[in-house]
Amino acid sequence: IMMGPETAAHHDLIIRFGGPLAWSQHLNSAGMGAGLASVRIHESPELPRLQGKLRENLALFDSLIGTEQSGDDFSIRMVVIGSEAAAADASGKIFERGFYTSPVFFPIVERGKAGLRVMLRADNRPEDIRTFCELVRDAVELD
């Protein structure tokens, strides 16, 4: 039903890369606990404080490294590098210096637009964001 007869040729691709994004699954215990904790935060005055801190961190990152997502409230940024090998290499160099950022490439992004997926949080310290951005600049040639 999901694919229909016209898309049957893509069956293997959907099975290989769809996973939990394509098929319904039960929420596990950890997921239920996270949901309950999220409800408590959303019902407290802590939510606006955390949202404000996250926006500050996003603005700091955006001031240091420009991405297509600069200015968005969404907490994920994509630093486009180009080749898959260069993205994996940059991620490894940054990891060796103490920071994790995942390389992403096709089918997550379109071919030729591989890069680093940066996930910012409210509890990131400004000095860590600055250090991380310096490491990204050292590992990747940015304009």
Side-chain angles (χ1 to χ4, degrees):
I1 293 172
M2 183 173 122
M3 296 180 293
E6 303 84 35
T7 58
H10 300 293
H11 178 266
D12 289 338
L13 185 68
I14 292 170
I15 295 298
R16 181 175 298 144
F17 298 110
L21 299 176
W23 319 117
S24 297
Q25 296 183 9
H26 294 285
L27 193 59
N28 61 29
S29 297
M32 285 187 263
L36 292 171
S38 179
V39 167
R40 284 192 293 277
I41 290 172
H42 278 76
E43 293 177 337
S44 78
E46 188 175 13
L47 180 64
R49 184 188 68 76
L50 290 172
Q51 289 174 328
K53 182 64 178 138
L54 176 58
R55 284 188 188 101
E56 289 174 17
N57 287 346
L58 292 169
L60 175 59
F61 181 87
D62 291 346
S63 74
L64 299 170
I65 295 180
T67 67
E68 289 182 17
Q69 299 80 32
S70 291
D72 288 353
D73 282 342
F74 191 55
S75 61
I76 297 175
R77 301 292 190 257
M78 174 72 176
V79 179
V80 176
I81 296 174
S83 82
E84 296 174 2
D89 183 58
S91 176
K93 287 177 182 176
I94 293 166
F95 183 73
E96 288 172 0
R97 302 287 303 273
F99 290 86
Y100 175 77
T101 185
S102 59
V104 291
F105 35 83
F106 181 83
I108 306 299
V109 297
E110 66 183 271
R111 292 187 195 278
K113 297 246 180 160
L116 302 175
R117 183 174 191 242
V118 179
M119 299 163 277
L120 295 154
R121 301 184 322 257
D123 64 344
N124 291 130
R125 299 179 316 172
E127 58 269 23
D128 290 334
I129 294 171
R130 286 186 188 92
T131 301
F132 174 77
C133 289
E134 288 174 23
L135 295 174
V136 170
R137 288 194 171 284
D138 288 345
V140 178
E141 289 187 32
L142 297 175
D143 295 334

